Amino acid sequence: MIVNLYYFFNNKSFKNSYFSSILFYKLFFVLLGFTIGFACLYYLLSLNEVVLLVSSPTGDVADVTFLDSLYFSGVTILSVGYGDLVPVGSARFFSLIEASIGLLLPTAYFMKALTSSREKEDE
């Protein structure tokens, strides 16, 4: 992987490379779109109900701004899960869906890159 990144950033080719810059950028922008979309969803949900709590012994309600929603969405889709914000109510369901997308989408892109490079080898 390190060799692939080296060759990618130095604009050289490596014949056994499975890295596709087109798929990489596509994955990046798709994940970015999902992150912003879910951030909008969390923010809109927070206008009607409590969606995030601060992870502390008191369990205070988080004052949700759009940036807080964007932060929570990014942490969720990347499966980092710092635990400083905890979803409650309907946000729990949406955060589960978002985490699943964040896990399965890169896997699908990796399999696509692997399959397309093997097809090129067979030709």
Side-chain angles (χ1 to χ4, degrees):
M1 188 165 138
I2 293 171
V3 172
N4 284 336
L5 288 175
Y6 171 77
Y7 282 105
F8 171 72
F9 288 114
N10 288 316
N11 293 324
K12 297 179 182 176
S13 62
F14 184 59
K15 70 178 182 176
N16 293 329
S17 175
Y18 296 122
F19 185 79
S20 169
S21 58
I22 294 170
L23 283 178
F24 175 78
Y25 289 124
K26 187 186 263 187
L27 174 64
F28 175 78
F29 287 115
V30 168
L31 284 175
L32 184 64
F34 272 111
T35 302
I36 293 170
F38 274 99
C40 291
L41 178 68
Y42 296 134
Y43 182 71
L44 291 175
L45 285 173
S46 72
L47 298 176
N48 294 329
E49 61 182 288
V50 174
V51 293
L52 295 175
L53 297 178
V54 176
S55 180
S56 67
T58 58
D60 296 332
V61 174
D63 184 31
V64 180
T65 64
F66 181 74
L67 289 178
D68 291 332
S69 298
L70 186 62
Y71 165 76
F72 177 74
S73 181
V75 167
T76 302
I77 202 159
L78 295 174
S79 299
V80 175
Y82 290 125
D84 53 346
L85 296 174
V86 180
V88 293
S90 59
R92 292 176 68 184
F93 171 74
F94 292 115
S95 63
L96 181 63
I97 297 297
E98 184 180 13
S100 299
I101 290 170
L103 181 68
L104 296 174
L105 196 62
T107 304
Y109 273 79
F110 173 75
M111 295 305 294
K112 174 69 175 165
L114 191 63
T115 302
S116 64
S117 66
R118 285 193 179 165
E119 288 173 355
K120 287 179 185 176
E121 287 177 1
D122 291 341
E123 292 176 356

